[in-house]
Amino acid sequence: MYMKTKVWSAMQLSDKDKEKIRYILEHSTSRDRDLANAFPSRFRRRKGRDIFFDAGKRRWCTEI
């Protein structure tokens, strides 16, 4: 089981994206690499329990 994670993004995440992120956080040993591979144009960085998508202004905060 994992702790709650906040995803900051410019666009709202789809349910499919949320499931991908949830799966990576639960099962991956290299989360940053796997998030970058799953979302090549959107993933920017991960800091603690926060994940930052999209460049520029992030308007959406989704808790997973």
Side-chain angles (χ1 to χ4, degrees):
M1 186 130 146
Y2 64 95
M3 301 183 80
K4 294 285 184 180
T5 300
K6 289 185 180 179
V7 180
W8 299 87
S9 62
M11 299 178 295
Q12 191 172 17
L13 296 174
S14 68
D15 291 335
K16 187 176 180 181
D17 290 342
K18 291 176 190 177
E19 288 301 317
K20 278 186 195 177
I21 293 169
R22 205 173 281 131
Y23 182 83
I24 290 170
L25 293 177
E26 286 180 9
H27 301 295
S28 176
T29 57
S30 180
R31 291 179 181 97
D32 290 339
R33 183 195 69 214
D34 291 341
L35 284 168
N37 287 336
F39 304 98
S41 61
R42 296 191 70 191
F43 178 73
R44 294 295 173 233
R45 65 187 158 105
R46 188 170 63 93
K47 185 175 183 182
R49 285 187 264 146
D50 291 345
I51 297 172
F52 296 91
F53 276 8
D54 308 319
K57 196 168 196 174
R58 295 174 182 93
R59 299 170 188 222
W60 294 91
C61 177
T62 306
E63 191 169 274
I64 296 177

